[in-house]
Amino acid sequence: MINFKKYDKENPAIWEGFVKYSKEAKQKGFKNYSANGIFEILRWHTGVNGNDQFKISNNYRPDYARKMMKTHPEFEGFFRVKQLKAKRS
């Protein structure tokens, strides 16, 4: 079972960055964007800044996309998501 809530709670900087870069993409006029792209931006910026205090797990990309669309209704449909295969908590 994938425990997104625990991972998210233990790594608040990932959520903050996901929100920041999602909003930047939307402000630049993107109608859709990739959660994968956001994660790679996060990796780039944490690596370049020398701030690698947390590891970003690929397992949670769809969870962050869903959280973004649920928490910020103006992002509904911004990320394309598939049906989840693994049970989440």
Side-chain angles (χ1 to χ4, degrees):
M1 177 186 307
I2 294 175
N3 192 338
F4 171 68
K5 290 180 185 177
K6 180 178 185 285
Y7 181 82
D8 186 37
K9 184 177 180 180
E10 291 173 354
N11 298 281
I14 296 173
W15 173 241
E16 291 167 13
F18 195 89
V19 171
K20 174 185 176 185
Y21 295 118
S22 296
K23 287 182 176 182
E24 284 184 15
K26 192 167 184 69
Q27 287 171 350
K28 289 182 179 182
F30 286 94
K31 302 294 181 209
N32 299 101
Y33 206 77
S34 165
N36 296 345
I38 299 292
F39 267 59
E40 295 310 319
I41 292 168
L42 286 167
R43 282 194 175 107
W44 169 258
H45 285 284
T46 57
V48 168
N49 294 332
N51 181 7
D52 58 353
Q53 69 207 17
F54 56 86
K55 299 294 181 192
I56 302 173
S57 172
N58 290 337
N59 295 341
Y60 304 108
R61 290 176 182 204
D63 300 287
Y64 281 105
R66 285 180 173 82
K67 181 178 177 179
M68 186 69 186
M69 292 188 294
K70 183 177 180 181
T71 308
H72 300 275
E74 68 274 21
F75 282 85
E76 183 63 39
F78 190 70
F79 299 101
R80 294 186 180 119
V81 293
K82 297 177 183 177
Q83 185 173 358
L84 293 171
K85 295 178 183 177
K87 186 175 179 181
R88 298 327 208 222
S89 62

